Amino acid sequence: MQEDTAEPDIKADVPAADVPVANALTSSGRFELLVHAITDYAIYLLDLDGSIVSWNTGAERFKGYRAEEIIGKHFSCLYTQEERAAGIPERALATVATQGRYETEGLRVRKDGSRFWASIVIDPVVDESGTLIGYAKVTRDITDKKAAEQALFESEQRFRLLVQGVRDYAIYMLDPKGRITDWNSGAVAITGYTAGEIVGRHFSCFYTQEDRDRGEPERGLAIALQRHTFQHEGWRIRKNGTRFWANVVIDPIYNEANRLIGFAKITRDITERKRAQDEVDRQRDILSHAQKLEAIGRITGGVAHDFNNLLTIIRSAADLLGMNNLAAEKRSRYVEIIAETAERAALMTKQLLAFAREQPLHPEVFSIASCIQALTHVIEMTVGAKIQVDIDLPTDLKDVHADAGQFESAFLNLVINSRDAMPAGGTLQISACYSDRLPSLHEHADTGGIFGHFIAVTINDTGCGIEPSAIDQIFEPFFTTKELNKGTGLGLSQVYGFAKQSGGEVVVESQVGEGTAFTLYLPCAQEQPSADSVESSSEESRHVRSRNLLLVEDNEMVGGFTQSALSDVGHNVSWALNAEAALEMLDAGQEFDLVLSDVVMPGMSGIELAQEIQRRWPDLRVVLSSGYSPALAQKGGHGFELLQKPYTLDQLLAVIQ
């Protein structure tokens, strides 16, 4: 360490705890070697007036001054002209004298006039009587940190400074075996041990008994040698037995001959920070739980309301069907109403699975233009007389390949969303066009995207618009900008899930006070199947030879109805309430062409039953049925056919054939 010719008694960059500056390092050459080895920090002493009295190799390396050029000068020469004019250097020393510490970041000047961004820490240096005799100043060039915080974080751990004057950190040295050889005032403040009490003891005395039993102290030194650094957070023990949460860094120290002479260990008490973080985590958990309960409340209220409306229609139609004097034409109409309403209920159930993109899709080729035109009356009735509906659909619009029922549900969701955005009335424009690219979510239609063949359906309203802060959340499940009990928060989530599953996208553009435009992209169809063939296959499925079927269903209402329906169309159906009863029928020698089993049942599940049948009767076909999402019903990759509930009679008969 360069000695100060003006004050020859001061020989160390940084004083030891409770030892005068003049004798700070003379008792131990290790500290002098340590400070000399640090080249990424400028570590030097100032006298009471702020004049530089010592200068380390790190300071010489990145400030450009040799020791003989800088010692004796006022440290303000390293500041910018603006900071000198503002009295920042003097204010820094005054802060240290009154508050015991000064820490900041700012621009500093090298010898060649170039500027660099520095992190500065100044601590007071006192003698045995507590009299202030100077200042310990540590400076580091952190220019790269401003450009890349993460890169600096990874590198700064390798260059921790062992500074005796820093009191917020316990900074000390260990010999190669882990015994403490030096101790600073920060270590005294954090752990409660004085240098006389702790020097010579193994550093594991600060660890909890559990950590010592696991060999954590030795592991830390081994990792430091292997990786050149070790960083960890955990509980440590003070002299009085209390615990504190510590951030610990260990770096190996080598001499000029590259021989290991020990370890530099830096410990900081971050108990308060951990308590604050624990409280933040606790409050986040509380908030998350409250949000889940709120979401459950919204979805329960919204879905219950919608299902009650559908059930009202079904129940009323069923009551009318029970009238003896009801005309055949009306009876047929009420049957159609029940079927249509049940389909609406099934679509609503699919919405509950849509946000997870797990709803079952049945892609087909259909015309979007024809579908929208068929919904014209529904659209007008839905939006009301105060909203003008303009539909502009090209006659030569290509067909798409998607689930027609899901498209209808998604389209009406967007229409309803636009209606709710125009409570005082406005204009709803519906258009469609061909697009050769698939844009990204929230992306303007003129930028970027994936090229392909798509039909873009746009629903544009002149409503209130969407706040920019909400744009990124509108497709999240349960999120809604509507009033309480005015929606489930699943509508736009269903649209998003349908678009993604179909290989398309949905994008939104909105201006507050001007309106919102949702555009749904769906892939074009490659070929158009014959509608007549589809219809004929449905009709033919009802006119087939009789089959012997084993129905396994624990729900008596579903089981009884399915047995009756299949029997009415000519099949022989045996019904078992559980898997065990089904196996008894099979063991008794009854022969069946097919086993149709529910997945979720008490006791043995449908999957387990299917696996047992496959093992014992490998030629017997098994079809599983479930009201859960396919992803859940097929969990584990069992490989059996799956019929998704709710299913139509035609779908059931098609599976049987």
Side-chain angles (χ1 to χ4, degrees), residues 160-184:
R160 286 288 187 179
L161 176 65
L162 303 183
V163 180
Q164 182 66 17
V166 178
R167 292 175 175 79
D168 288 335
Y169 291 81
I171 304 176
Y172 53 97
M173 287 187 67
L174 310 175
D175 68 14
K177 294 184 178 180
R179 291 188 294 263
I180 300 166
T181 59
D182 295 288
W183 197 244
N184 84 322

PDB file of all heavy atoms in Angstrom, residues 160-184:
ATOM      1  N   ARG A 160     -15.938  -8.655  -4.544  1.00  0.00           N
ATOM      2  CA  ARG A 160     -16.361  -8.073  -3.264  1.00  0.00           C
ATOM      3  C   ARG A 160     -15.169  -7.468  -2.534  1.00  0.00           C
ATOM      4  O   ARG A 160     -14.091  -8.049  -2.472  1.00  0.00           O
ATOM      5  CB  ARG A 160     -16.998  -9.160  -2.384  1.00  0.00           C
ATOM      6  CG  ARG A 160     -18.397  -9.573  -2.842  1.00  0.00           C
ATOM      7  CD  ARG A 160     -19.388  -8.497  -2.550  1.00  0.00           C
ATOM      8  NE  ARG A 160     -20.753  -8.926  -2.825  1.00  0.00           N
ATOM      9  CZ  ARG A 160     -21.817  -8.188  -2.635  1.00  0.00           C
ATOM     10  NH1 ARG A 160     -21.680  -6.964  -2.175  1.00  0.00           N
ATOM     11  NH2 ARG A 160     -22.992  -8.646  -2.912  1.00  0.00           N
ATOM     12  N   LEU A 161     -15.394  -6.334  -1.985  1.00  0.00           N
ATOM     13  CA  LEU A 161     -14.308  -5.623  -1.320  1.00  0.00           C
ATOM     14  C   LEU A 161     -14.326  -5.875   0.176  1.00  0.00           C
ATOM     15  O   LEU A 161     -15.361  -5.759   0.810  1.00  0.00           O
ATOM     16  CB  LEU A 161     -14.462  -4.122  -1.606  1.00  0.00           C
ATOM     17  CG  LEU A 161     -13.471  -3.215  -0.906  1.00  0.00           C
ATOM     18  CD1 LEU A 161     -12.069  -3.516  -1.425  1.00  0.00           C
ATOM     19  CD2 LEU A 161     -13.834  -1.765  -1.140  1.00  0.00           C
ATOM     20  N   LEU A 162     -13.133  -6.293   0.683  1.00  0.00           N
ATOM     21  CA  LEU A 162     -13.000  -6.450   2.128  1.00  0.00           C
ATOM     22  C   LEU A 162     -12.491  -5.128   2.692  1.00  0.00           C
ATOM     23  O   LEU A 162     -11.313  -4.813   2.621  1.00  0.00           O
ATOM     24  CB  LEU A 162     -12.011  -7.577   2.442  1.00  0.00           C
ATOM     25  CG  LEU A 162     -12.355  -8.940   1.850  1.00  0.00           C
ATOM     26  CD1 LEU A 162     -11.356  -9.975   2.285  1.00  0.00           C
ATOM     27  CD2 LEU A 162     -13.748  -9.347   2.232  1.00  0.00           C
ATOM     28  N   VAL A 163     -13.399  -4.354   3.186  1.00  0.00           N
ATOM     29  CA  VAL A 163     -13.040  -3.019   3.671  1.00  0.00           C
ATOM     30  C   VAL A 163     -13.324  -2.944   5.169  1.00  0.00           C
ATOM     31  O   VAL A 163     -14.440  -3.167   5.609  1.00  0.00           O
ATOM     32  CB  VAL A 163     -13.842  -1.926   2.934  1.00  0.00           C
ATOM     33  CG1 VAL A 163     -13.457  -0.547   3.455  1.00  0.00           C
ATOM     34  CG2 VAL A 163     -13.580  -2.010   1.446  1.00  0.00           C
ATOM     35  N   GLN A 164     -12.294  -2.623   5.899  1.00  0.00           N
ATOM     36  CA  GLN A 164     -12.448  -2.578   7.346  1.00  0.00           C
ATOM     37  C   GLN A 164     -13.410  -1.488   7.800  1.00  0.00           C
ATOM     38  O   GLN A 164     -14.088  -1.629   8.799  1.00  0.00           O
ATOM     39  CB  GLN A 164     -11.076  -2.333   7.999  1.00  0.00           C
ATOM     40  CG  GLN A 164     -11.076  -2.298   9.525  1.00  0.00           C
ATOM     41  CD  GLN A 164     -11.416  -3.639  10.132  1.00  0.00           C
ATOM     42  OE1 GLN A 164     -11.345  -4.649   9.455  1.00  0.00           O
ATOM     43  NE2 GLN A 164     -11.767  -3.642  11.402  1.00  0.00           N
ATOM     44  N   GLY A 165     -13.479  -0.400   7.062  1.00  0.00           N
ATOM     45  CA  GLY A 165     -14.317   0.709   7.511  1.00  0.00           C
ATOM     46  C   GLY A 165     -15.781   0.569   7.181  1.00  0.00           C
ATOM     47  O   GLY A 165     -16.584   1.390   7.632  1.00  0.00           O
ATOM     48  N   VAL A 166     -16.197  -0.421   6.369  1.00  0.00           N
ATOM     49  CA  VAL A 166     -17.598  -0.586   5.999  1.00  0.00           C
ATOM     50  C   VAL A 166     -18.337  -1.290   7.135  1.00  0.00           C
ATOM     51  O   VAL A 166     -18.000  -2.411   7.495  1.00  0.00           O
ATOM     52  CB  VAL A 166     -17.723  -1.399   4.690  1.00  0.00           C
ATOM     53  CG1 VAL A 166     -19.180  -1.625   4.322  1.00  0.00           C
ATOM     54  CG2 VAL A 166     -17.008  -0.668   3.556  1.00  0.00           C
ATOM     55  N   ARG A 167     -19.345  -0.636   7.686  1.00  0.00           N
ATOM     56  CA  ARG A 167     -20.021  -1.163   8.881  1.00  0.00           C
ATOM     57  C   ARG A 167     -21.335  -1.884   8.593  1.00  0.00           C
ATOM     58  O   ARG A 167     -21.905  -2.488   9.489  1.00  0.00           O
ATOM     59  CB  ARG A 167     -20.255  -0.020   9.874  1.00  0.00           C
ATOM     60  CG  ARG A 167     -18.968   0.508  10.470  1.00  0.00           C
ATOM     61  CD  ARG A 167     -19.228   1.729  11.350  1.00  0.00           C
ATOM     62  NE  ARG A 167     -18.008   2.151  12.016  1.00  0.00           N
ATOM     63  CZ  ARG A 167     -17.046   2.859  11.449  1.00  0.00           C
ATOM     64  NH1 ARG A 167     -17.183   3.235  10.179  1.00  0.00           N
ATOM     65  NH2 ARG A 167     -15.957   3.192  12.104  1.00  0.00           N
ATOM     66  N   ASP A 168     -21.837  -1.776   7.361  1.00  0.00           N
ATOM     67  CA  ASP A 168     -23.077  -2.472   7.042  1.00  0.00           C
ATOM     68  C   ASP A 168     -22.846  -3.916   6.607  1.00  0.00           C
ATOM     69  O   ASP A 168     -23.803  -4.646   6.372  1.00  0.00           O
ATOM     70  CB  ASP A 168     -23.828  -1.734   5.931  1.00  0.00           C
ATOM     71  CG  ASP A 168     -24.430  -0.435   6.425  1.00  0.00           C
ATOM     72  OD1 ASP A 168     -24.682  -0.348   7.635  1.00  0.00           O
ATOM     73  OD2 ASP A 168     -24.626   0.483   5.611  1.00  0.00           O
ATOM     74  N   TYR A 169     -21.607  -4.292   6.480  1.00  0.00           N
ATOM     75  CA  TYR A 169     -21.260  -5.655   6.078  1.00  0.00           C
ATOM     76  C   TYR A 169     -20.272  -6.246   7.078  1.00  0.00           C
ATOM     77  O   TYR A 169     -19.384  -5.542   7.561  1.00  0.00           O
ATOM     78  CB  TYR A 169     -20.604  -5.685   4.687  1.00  0.00           C
ATOM     79  CG  TYR A 169     -21.516  -5.352   3.546  1.00  0.00           C
ATOM     80  CD1 TYR A 169     -21.797  -4.030   3.232  1.00  0.00           C
ATOM     81  CD2 TYR A 169     -22.095  -6.354   2.778  1.00  0.00           C
ATOM     82  CE1 TYR A 169     -22.634  -3.708   2.181  1.00  0.00           C
ATOM     83  CE2 TYR A 169     -22.923  -6.052   1.713  1.00  0.00           C
ATOM     84  CZ  TYR A 169     -23.200  -4.717   1.422  1.00  0.00           C
ATOM     85  OH  TYR A 169     -24.026  -4.418   0.370  1.00  0.00           O
ATOM     86  N   ALA A 170     -20.445  -7.536   7.356  1.00  0.00           N
ATOM     87  CA  ALA A 170     -19.424  -8.271   8.100  1.00  0.00           C
ATOM     88  C   ALA A 170     -18.407  -8.756   7.082  1.00  0.00           C
ATOM     89  O   ALA A 170     -18.711  -9.606   6.251  1.00  0.00           O
ATOM     90  CB  ALA A 170     -20.042  -9.449   8.849  1.00  0.00           C
ATOM     91  N   ILE A 171     -17.211  -8.179   7.118  1.00  0.00           N
ATOM     92  CA  ILE A 171     -16.176  -8.501   6.134  1.00  0.00           C
ATOM     93  C   ILE A 171     -14.966  -9.042   6.888  1.00  0.00           C
ATOM     94  O   ILE A 171     -14.394  -8.344   7.731  1.00  0.00           O
ATOM     95  CB  ILE A 171     -15.776  -7.263   5.321  1.00  0.00           C
ATOM     96  CG1 ILE A 171     -17.016  -6.645   4.658  1.00  0.00           C
ATOM     97  CG2 ILE A 171     -14.737  -7.613   4.274  1.00  0.00           C
ATOM     98  CD1 ILE A 171     -16.741  -5.372   3.925  1.00  0.00           C
ATOM     99  N   TYR A 172     -14.594 -10.263   6.591  1.00  0.00           N
ATOM    100  CA  TYR A 172     -13.462 -10.854   7.299  1.00  0.00           C
ATOM    101  C   TYR A 172     -12.816 -11.930   6.449  1.00  0.00           C
ATOM    102  O   TYR A 172     -13.354 -12.338   5.428  1.00  0.00           O
ATOM    103  CB  TYR A 172     -13.895 -11.417   8.658  1.00  0.00           C
ATOM    104  CG  TYR A 172     -15.068 -12.374   8.626  1.00  0.00           C
ATOM    105  CD1 TYR A 172     -14.865 -13.748   8.613  1.00  0.00           C
ATOM    106  CD2 TYR A 172     -16.375 -11.897   8.642  1.00  0.00           C
ATOM    107  CE1 TYR A 172     -15.929 -14.627   8.604  1.00  0.00           C
ATOM    108  CE2 TYR A 172     -17.449 -12.767   8.625  1.00  0.00           C
ATOM    109  CZ  TYR A 172     -17.223 -14.131   8.606  1.00  0.00           C
ATOM    110  OH  TYR A 172     -18.282 -15.003   8.590  1.00  0.00           O
ATOM    111  N   MET A 173     -11.628 -12.357   6.898  1.00  0.00           N
ATOM    112  CA  MET A 173     -10.875 -13.371   6.176  1.00  0.00           C
ATOM    113  C   MET A 173     -10.859 -14.688   6.936  1.00  0.00           C
ATOM    114  O   MET A 173     -10.921 -14.701   8.173  1.00  0.00           O
ATOM    115  CB  MET A 173      -9.435 -12.908   5.928  1.00  0.00           C
ATOM    116  CG  MET A 173      -9.310 -11.835   4.855  1.00  0.00           C
ATOM    117  SD  MET A 173      -7.581 -11.485   4.469  1.00  0.00           S
ATOM    118  CE  MET A 173      -7.093 -13.050   3.724  1.00  0.00           C
ATOM    119  N   LEU A 174     -10.779 -15.759   6.164  1.00  0.00           N
ATOM    120  CA  LEU A 174     -10.643 -17.103   6.714  1.00  0.00           C
ATOM    121  C   LEU A 174      -9.336 -17.695   6.206  1.00  0.00           C
ATOM    122  O   LEU A 174      -8.893 -17.376   5.095  1.00  0.00           O
ATOM    123  CB  LEU A 174     -11.800 -18.008   6.263  1.00  0.00           C
ATOM    124  CG  LEU A 174     -13.228 -17.482   6.432  1.00  0.00           C
ATOM    125  CD1 LEU A 174     -14.211 -18.472   5.815  1.00  0.00           C
ATOM    126  CD2 LEU A 174     -13.555 -17.231   7.893  1.00  0.00           C
ATOM    127  N   ASP A 175      -8.731 -18.555   7.012  1.00  0.00           N
ATOM    128  CA  ASP A 175      -7.570 -19.272   6.492  1.00  0.00           C
ATOM    129  C   ASP A 175      -8.066 -20.426   5.619  1.00  0.00           C
ATOM    130  O   ASP A 175      -9.276 -20.659   5.517  1.00  0.00           O
ATOM    131  CB  ASP A 175      -6.662 -19.750   7.634  1.00  0.00           C
ATOM    132  CG  ASP A 175      -7.297 -20.830   8.498  1.00  0.00           C
ATOM    133  OD1 ASP A 175      -8.327 -21.420   8.082  1.00  0.00           O
ATOM    134  OD2 ASP A 175      -6.773 -21.092   9.596  1.00  0.00           O
ATOM    135  N   PRO A 176      -7.215 -21.151   4.944  1.00  0.00           N
ATOM    136  CA  PRO A 176      -7.672 -22.208   4.030  1.00  0.00           C
ATOM    137  C   PRO A 176      -8.552 -23.264   4.691  1.00  0.00           C
ATOM    138  O   PRO A 176      -9.308 -23.949   4.001  1.00  0.00           O
ATOM    139  CB  PRO A 176      -6.362 -22.817   3.517  1.00  0.00           C
ATOM    140  CG  PRO A 176      -5.379 -21.691   3.581  1.00  0.00           C
ATOM    141  CD  PRO A 176      -5.739 -20.946   4.845  1.00  0.00           C
ATOM    142  N   LYS A 177      -8.467 -23.406   6.032  1.00  0.00           N
ATOM    143  CA  LYS A 177      -9.292 -24.398   6.724  1.00  0.00           C
ATOM    144  C   LYS A 177     -10.593 -23.820   7.257  1.00  0.00           C
ATOM    145  O   LYS A 177     -11.383 -24.534   7.870  1.00  0.00           O
ATOM    146  CB  LYS A 177      -8.500 -25.010   7.876  1.00  0.00           C
ATOM    147  CG  LYS A 177      -7.310 -25.840   7.395  1.00  0.00           C
ATOM    148  CD  LYS A 177      -6.603 -26.505   8.569  1.00  0.00           C
ATOM    149  CE  LYS A 177      -5.438 -27.372   8.083  1.00  0.00           C
ATOM    150  NZ  LYS A 177      -4.741 -28.032   9.216  1.00  0.00           N
ATOM    151  N   GLY A 178     -10.812 -22.508   7.052  1.00  0.00           N
ATOM    152  CA  GLY A 178     -12.063 -21.901   7.477  1.00  0.00           C
ATOM    153  C   GLY A 178     -12.004 -21.223   8.829  1.00  0.00           C
ATOM    154  O   GLY A 178     -13.046 -20.814   9.354  1.00  0.00           O
ATOM    155  N   ARG A 179     -10.807 -21.075   9.405  1.00  0.00           N
ATOM    156  CA  ARG A 179     -10.681 -20.376  10.685  1.00  0.00           C
ATOM    157  C   ARG A 179     -10.594 -18.869  10.445  1.00  0.00           C
ATOM    158  O   ARG A 179      -9.945 -18.407   9.495  1.00  0.00           O
ATOM    159  CB  ARG A 179      -9.456 -20.863  11.458  1.00  0.00           C
ATOM    160  CG  ARG A 179      -9.574 -22.290  11.978  1.00  0.00           C
ATOM    161  CD  ARG A 179      -8.408 -22.617  12.902  1.00  0.00           C
ATOM    162  NE  ARG A 179      -7.154 -22.626  12.150  1.00  0.00           N
ATOM    163  CZ  ARG A 179      -6.582 -23.729  11.675  1.00  0.00           C
ATOM    164  NH1 ARG A 179      -7.166 -24.904  11.850  1.00  0.00           N
ATOM    165  NH2 ARG A 179      -5.432 -23.664  11.018  1.00  0.00           N
ATOM    166  N   ILE A 180     -11.238 -18.099  11.304  1.00  0.00           N
ATOM    167  CA  ILE A 180     -11.298 -16.646  11.151  1.00  0.00           C
ATOM    168  C   ILE A 180      -9.947 -16.040  11.531  1.00  0.00           C
ATOM    169  O   ILE A 180      -9.410 -16.318  12.610  1.00  0.00           O
ATOM    170  CB  ILE A 180     -12.417 -16.059  12.039  1.00  0.00           C
ATOM    171  CG1 ILE A 180     -13.773 -16.663  11.629  1.00  0.00           C
ATOM    172  CG2 ILE A 180     -12.455 -14.539  11.945  1.00  0.00           C
ATOM    173  CD1 ILE A 180     -14.881 -16.425  12.621  1.00  0.00           C
ATOM    174  N   THR A 181      -9.425 -15.194  10.622  1.00  0.00           N
ATOM    175  CA  THR A 181      -8.124 -14.576  10.868  1.00  0.00           C
ATOM    176  C   THR A 181      -8.217 -13.065  11.049  1.00  0.00           C
ATOM    177  O   THR A 181      -7.312 -12.460  11.618  1.00  0.00           O
ATOM    178  CB  THR A 181      -7.161 -14.891   9.718  1.00  0.00           C
ATOM    179  OG1 THR A 181      -7.726 -14.389   8.487  1.00  0.00           O
ATOM    180  CG2 THR A 181      -6.934 -16.394   9.586  1.00  0.00           C
ATOM    181  N   ASP A 182      -9.272 -12.432  10.528  1.00  0.00           N
ATOM    182  CA  ASP A 182      -9.450 -10.990  10.670  1.00  0.00           C
ATOM    183  C   ASP A 182     -10.928 -10.682  10.841  1.00  0.00           C
ATOM    184  O   ASP A 182     -11.790 -11.456  10.432  1.00  0.00           O
ATOM    185  CB  ASP A 182      -8.896 -10.239   9.451  1.00  0.00           C
ATOM    186  CG  ASP A 182      -7.395 -10.376   9.317  1.00  0.00           C
ATOM    187  OD1 ASP A 182      -6.671  -9.774  10.128  1.00  0.00           O
ATOM    188  OD2 ASP A 182      -6.966 -11.115   8.410  1.00  0.00           O
ATOM    189  N   TRP A 183     -11.222  -9.518  11.394  1.00  0.00           N
ATOM    190  CA  TRP A 183     -12.601  -9.210  11.800  1.00  0.00           C
ATOM    191  C   TRP A 183     -12.817  -7.706  11.685  1.00  0.00           C
ATOM    192  O   TRP A 183     -12.016  -6.920  12.162  1.00  0.00           O
ATOM    193  CB  TRP A 183     -12.778  -9.666  13.249  1.00  0.00           C
ATOM    194  CG  TRP A 183     -14.195  -9.813  13.741  1.00  0.00           C
ATOM    195  CD1 TRP A 183     -14.792  -9.098  14.728  1.00  0.00           C
ATOM    196  CD2 TRP A 183     -15.165 -10.767  13.314  1.00  0.00           C
ATOM    197  NE1 TRP A 183     -16.064  -9.525  14.943  1.00  0.00           N
ATOM    198  CE2 TRP A 183     -16.325 -10.573  14.071  1.00  0.00           C
ATOM    199  CE3 TRP A 183     -15.160 -11.766  12.351  1.00  0.00           C
ATOM    200  CZ2 TRP A 183     -17.471 -11.323  13.916  1.00  0.00           C
ATOM    201  CZ3 TRP A 183     -16.296 -12.518  12.183  1.00  0.00           C
ATOM    202  CH2 TRP A 183     -17.442 -12.301  12.957  1.00  0.00           C
ATOM    203  N   ASN A 184     -13.898  -7.281  11.037  1.00  0.00           N
ATOM    204  CA  ASN A 184     -14.108  -5.834  10.900  1.00  0.00           C
ATOM    205  C   ASN A 184     -15.240  -5.345  11.794  1.00  0.00           C
ATOM    206  O   ASN A 184     -15.946  -6.133  12.433  1.00  0.00           O
ATOM    207  CB  ASN A 184     -14.347  -5.462   9.431  1.00  0.00           C
ATOM    208  CG  ASN A 184     -15.790  -5.646   9.000  1.00  0.00           C
ATOM    209  OD1 ASN A 184     -16.445  -6.592   9.411  1.00  0.00           O
ATOM    210  ND2 ASN A 184     -16.280  -4.749   8.162  1.00  0.00           N
TER     211      ASN A 184
END
